[in-house]
Amino acid sequence: MYKTHTCGELRATHANQQVTLAGWVHRRRDHGGVIFLDLRDRYGIVQVTVNPDLSKESLDAVSNVRMEWVLQITGMVQKRPAGMQNPKMQTGEVEVIAQSVKVLNRAKTLPFLVSGENDLPDENTRLKYRYLDLRRERMTHNMILRHQVVKFMRDFLDQYNFVEIETPILFKATPEGARDYLVPSRLYPGQFYALPQSPQQLKQLLMVAGMDRYFQIARCFRDEDLRGDRQPEFTQLDLEMSFVQRDDVLALVEQLYTELISAITPHKRLLSSPWPRFSYREVLERYGTDKPDLRFGMELIDVSDIFAKSDFRVFQSAIEAGGVIKCIVAPGCAEYSRKEVDALTESARALGAKGLATLAVTSEGLKGTAAKFVTPEEAEAVKSKTGAQEGDLILVAADQRAVVNKVLGGLRLIFRDRLDLADPNMLAFGWVVDFPMFAWNEEEGKWDAEHHPFTMPQLDDLPKFETNPGEILSDAYDMVCNGYEMASGSIRIHRSDIQLKVFELLGLRGDEIEQKFGHMLEAFDYGAPPHGGMAPGIDRLVMLLADEPNIREVIAFPKNQTGRDVMADAPSEVEPKQLKELHIQIRE
RNA sequence: GGUCCCGUGGUGUAGCGGCCUAACAUGCGGCCCUGUCAAGGCCGAGAUCGCGGGUUCGAAUCCCGUCGGGACCGCCA
C-alpha cells in the first residue's frame, strides 16, 4: 500500500502518529524556509509542513513540486501550534510534519484549477478534461451522493424482497416511442439489435416468470435531442411488482423516497407528506403542465365566465372558437415597464400564444394593455376571483385550452425564477394520476399511446374502445418534483385480449403485432399475473438533491448538448474493415 | 427543424468605432521570504479578440455569412 491513512481523516486524535499519505498537491505555499503543501485525496485535504531540515532528496522534490503533482509523504501528525488552527478545514487542528517526500508523478500545467470553486471554465473544457473536473470537491461530492442514493435504493428494495436482475442491453427495436439506437449484427447481415429505451418488456416478462418483485439500476437509451435534464443514455430505477394495484406501487415508492431523503439529504424538506395527488386533467388546469412545480402558488385561474361577453375582440373570438380565457397573478409586478411587458409577451409568443393581455392593479384602477376594454364590473369580478391585490400584475391569455395552459404554465416558471418564488431546499413531490390512455395524432391521423401500449386502461372505460377512445383513462401515474417529471409508471396489461385491443386501436396490423410483440402476447397466455411498476429517474433525483442545474453535473462522463463525448471525441468514424464486417456501407 | 443568447492570452473576465502597441485576476517561468492556509513581495513570458467576408480614413467593437457552444420549442411510446 502506498498509504496508511487518507488525507481527509486526520484529526487531533492522530497526533504523534507516523502516517504515510498519498495524494495530489492541492496548493503549495513556499515561504522560503518552511513550505506548506495541501495534500488532497477523495476524502479531504490536509496541510503538510515541510521544514528546511529534511533530507536533500526530499527538499529537492518539494522545491519542484507544482499543483496536482502526485506525492507520497511520510510524516508525523501534530496538533497545530496555538492560534494556527484552520477552522475552515476538517483537518484544520492538525498538520503533518514531513519526514520524506516522494514524487509519484508529475502533472503538466492544468487547463483549469481544481482548487477553488469559482471561475469555472466553459463546460466543454470541463468535459474535455472530465477526469480533472471530477477532482473538484463539488463533482466528487456529486459522484458520492449518487452512489449513496443508489446504495440506499438497493438496500431498501432488498429489505422488501425485491430481486435485482440484469436485462440485456442488446435487444429488439421497438416501433413506437423514442428513436432507437441500433446496433448492426455481424452474424445476420441487414439485421439490427436495438439498445433498450427501458427494460419495459423484459421486466414484464420477469413478472410472468414469477419473480414477483424485480428491480434494476437500468441504463436506458433514447436517440432524441438533448436538454439540461435529458441525456441520450440515462439511468432509472426500474422496478416491477406482481399482484399489486396502483396505490401499492405509489405507497412503496413514496416511502422509499421519503426515507431516502431524510437519510441522505436531511437538509432538504418535503413540502408535504403524504404527497399530494392530482388527476392529469386537474394538474393541467391548475398549473398548465403535467409536471408542475408545487413549491409556489400562482395557479392558473379560469376567467372565461367573467369575460364571456367582453368587448375585447381577442377575448370574444377565443370564446367563440371554443377556447378559454385564463390568467395568472404576478405579485408586485404592476409597475413593470413597457419593455418588461413586451419581453413577457415575447416569451408568451415563444410558447405559442398569439399575444398576452395584462392588467396591472393600481391605486387608480386597472392599467395595462387590456384595461380599456374591461368594464368596472369585470374588473371587480377579476380581482375577487383571482385575489389580486394592489401592486399585482394579472397576465391574461385567451386561446384554445391547450395553448392557454402551456403559455401560462411557462410564464409561471419565468416568474418563479425572476421573483425567487421557489425555495431551493424544498422538495415538492406529488403524484399525477388518471392519464388519458390515448392521444389523437393529428398529423398521422391515428391514435398514439399516451404512456406506452402496455399500460392498463381503467376497467370502467373498456366499453369506450368502441365509442370514444379519447376518453379512456389509464392506470398510469407520474411522480413529479419541483417542475420535473421524476418517474412514470403504470399498472400493465396482463391479458392478451386487452393487449390485442390496444395494439389494434393504435393501428398496428395483425402481422405487425405478431412480428413485433408476438412474444409478449404469447407470454400473457401462459399465466401472466396482474402486475405494475414504475421507473424513477436517478439522474434527475441526484440533480435535485445536489442542487445542480442540469443532469450533466451528476453524470461522470456525460454527452454535451449536441450529443458528443468531447473527451473521447465520440461518435467517430471507424475503420473500413469494421464496416465491412457489419455489412454497412456509408452513403455520402 | 425552429427561436434566443454566447465565443477576447492556459483559465475566468473587462474593453463594445480611434485613447488597444488590448486591461485585470488567476495560472505559468524566475527571484526574495521559516507559520501560511485563495500566503505575500518583485520581475517576466503569454491573445493579430472563433473563422471568412463587408461597411469605414480607422473594427475586438457595426453588418452579413459560417463554425463551435448554451437555454428553450419541436421531439422525448
Side-chain angles (χ1 to χ4, degrees), chain A residues 336 340 343-344 347 413-421:
Chain A
Y336 268 19
E340 284 169 306
L344 284 173
S347 302
L413 295 183
I414 289 174
F415 280 103
R416 170 193 67 183
D417 298 336
R418 186 178 296 185
L419 304 176
D420 250 341
L421 298 175

Tab-separated table of all heavy atoms in Angstrom, chain A residues 336 340 343-344 347 413-421:
chain	number	residue	atom	x	y	z
A	336	TYR	N	-44.327	47.028	-13.782
A	336	TYR	CA	-43.469	46.623	-14.899
A	336	TYR	C	-43.523	47.646	-16.030
A	336	TYR	O	-44.584	48.133	-16.386
A	336	TYR	CB	-43.905	45.261	-15.431
A	336	TYR	CG	-43.180	44.094	-14.776
A	336	TYR	CD1	-42.530	44.243	-13.558
A	336	TYR	CD2	-43.140	42.842	-15.392
A	336	TYR	CE1	-41.875	43.193	-12.966
A	336	TYR	CE2	-42.487	41.776	-14.805
A	336	TYR	CZ	-41.853	41.957	-13.589
A	336	TYR	OH	-41.204	40.906	-13.014
A	340	GLU	N	-40.572	45.584	-20.139
A	340	GLU	CA	-40.679	44.301	-19.435
A	340	GLU	C	-41.928	43.532	-19.869
A	340	GLU	O	-41.900	42.314	-20.031
A	340	GLU	CB	-40.696	44.542	-17.920
A	340	GLU	CG	-39.326	44.880	-17.363
A	340	GLU	CD	-39.381	45.382	-15.929
A	340	GLU	OE1	-40.120	46.348	-15.656
A	340	GLU	OE2	-38.681	44.798	-15.096
A	343	ALA	N	-41.318	42.027	-23.189
A	343	ALA	CA	-40.486	40.822	-23.094
A	343	ALA	C	-41.323	39.620	-22.667
A	343	ALA	O	-41.146	38.506	-23.184
A	343	ALA	CB	-39.347	41.051	-22.105
A	344	LEU	N	-42.266	39.863	-21.749
A	344	LEU	CA	-43.155	38.781	-21.319
A	344	LEU	C	-44.024	38.316	-22.483
A	344	LEU	O	-44.242	37.116	-22.687
A	344	LEU	CB	-44.051	39.258	-20.173
A	344	LEU	CG	-43.400	39.378	-18.804
A	344	LEU	CD1	-44.358	40.027	-17.829
A	344	LEU	CD2	-42.977	37.995	-18.305
A	347	SER	N	-42.064	36.144	-24.645
A	347	SER	CA	-41.962	34.800	-24.075
A	347	SER	C	-43.246	34.021	-24.315
A	347	SER	O	-43.224	32.833	-24.637
A	347	SER	CB	-41.697	34.873	-22.574
A	347	SER	OG	-40.524	35.601	-22.321
A	413	LEU	N	-43.354	29.679	-14.628
A	413	LEU	CA	-41.972	29.299	-14.308
A	413	LEU	C	-41.007	30.472	-14.489
A	413	LEU	O	-40.020	30.596	-13.758
A	413	LEU	CB	-41.527	28.124	-15.169
A	413	LEU	CG	-42.272	26.811	-14.928
A	413	LEU	CD1	-41.689	25.706	-15.791
A	413	LEU	CD2	-42.236	26.416	-13.455
A	414	ILE	N	-41.304	31.323	-15.464
A	414	ILE	CA	-40.461	32.504	-15.659
A	414	ILE	C	-40.525	33.389	-14.416
A	414	ILE	O	-39.504	33.878	-13.925
A	414	ILE	CB	-40.901	33.278	-16.921
A	414	ILE	CG1	-40.521	32.467	-18.169
A	414	ILE	CG2	-40.277	34.667	-16.964
A	414	ILE	CD1	-41.031	33.037	-19.479
A	415	PHE	N	-41.736	33.552	-13.865
A	415	PHE	CA	-41.880	34.361	-12.645
A	415	PHE	C	-41.264	33.662	-11.430
A	415	PHE	O	-40.722	34.311	-10.553
A	415	PHE	CB	-43.353	34.689	-12.382
A	415	PHE	CG	-43.842	35.830	-13.232
A	415	PHE	CD1	-44.631	35.591	-14.344
A	415	PHE	CD2	-43.478	37.123	-12.936
A	415	PHE	CE1	-45.053	36.647	-15.139
A	415	PHE	CE2	-43.901	38.183	-13.722
A	415	PHE	CZ	-44.696	37.939	-14.831
A	416	ARG	N	-41.346	32.333	-11.428
A	416	ARG	CA	-40.698	31.603	-10.328
A	416	ARG	C	-39.232	31.992	-10.238
A	416	ARG	O	-38.720	32.303	-9.162
A	416	ARG	CB	-40.788	30.087	-10.577
A	416	ARG	CG	-39.940	29.257	-9.608
A	416	ARG	CD	-39.796	27.820	-10.057
A	416	ARG	NE	-39.026	27.711	-11.282
A	416	ARG	CZ	-38.798	26.569	-11.931
A	416	ARG	NH1	-39.313	25.434	-11.483
A	416	ARG	NH2	-38.094	26.546	-13.036
A	417	ASP	N	-38.569	31.995	-11.387
A	417	ASP	CA	-37.138	32.291	-11.387
A	417	ASP	C	-36.878	33.774	-11.156
A	417	ASP	O	-35.955	34.141	-10.444
A	417	ASP	CB	-36.524	31.834	-12.707
A	417	ASP	CG	-36.666	30.326	-12.881
A	417	ASP	OD1	-36.799	29.624	-11.857
A	417	ASP	OD2	-36.669	29.847	-14.025
A	418	ARG	N	-37.718	34.614	-11.757
A	418	ARG	CA	-37.477	36.047	-11.651
A	418	ARG	C	-37.757	36.563	-10.248
A	418	ARG	O	-37.032	37.403	-9.722
A	418	ARG	CB	-38.370	36.774	-12.657
A	418	ARG	CG	-38.100	38.251	-12.722
A	418	ARG	CD	-38.950	38.909	-13.755
A	418	ARG	NE	-38.660	38.441	-15.113
A	418	ARG	CZ	-39.222	38.963	-16.198
A	418	ARG	NH1	-40.098	39.928	-16.099
A	418	ARG	NH2	-38.903	38.501	-17.386
A	419	LEU	N	-38.818	36.059	-9.622
A	419	LEU	CA	-39.222	36.568	-8.305
A	419	LEU	C	-38.746	35.669	-7.166
A	419	LEU	O	-39.099	35.886	-6.013
A	419	LEU	CB	-40.748	36.711	-8.240
A	419	LEU	CG	-41.402	37.589	-9.311
A	419	LEU	CD1	-42.914	37.551	-9.186
A	419	LEU	CD2	-40.897	39.030	-9.227
A	420	ASP	N	-37.953	34.646	-7.522
A	420	ASP	CA	-37.423	33.766	-6.473
A	420	ASP	C	-38.530	33.155	-5.617
A	420	ASP	O	-38.488	33.190	-4.394
A	420	ASP	CB	-36.488	34.563	-5.544
A	420	ASP	CG	-35.044	34.130	-5.731
A	420	ASP	OD1	-34.844	33.029	-6.275
A	420	ASP	OD2	-34.142	34.882	-5.336
A	421	LEU	N	-39.517	32.602	-6.273
A	421	LEU	CA	-40.700	32.119	-5.552
A	421	LEU	C	-40.520	30.718	-4.988
A	421	LEU	O	-41.316	30.268	-4.170
A	421	LEU	CB	-41.919	32.138	-6.484
A	421	LEU	CG	-42.322	33.522	-7.015
A	421	LEU	CD1	-43.451	33.398	-8.023
A	421	LEU	CD2	-42.741	34.431	-5.869
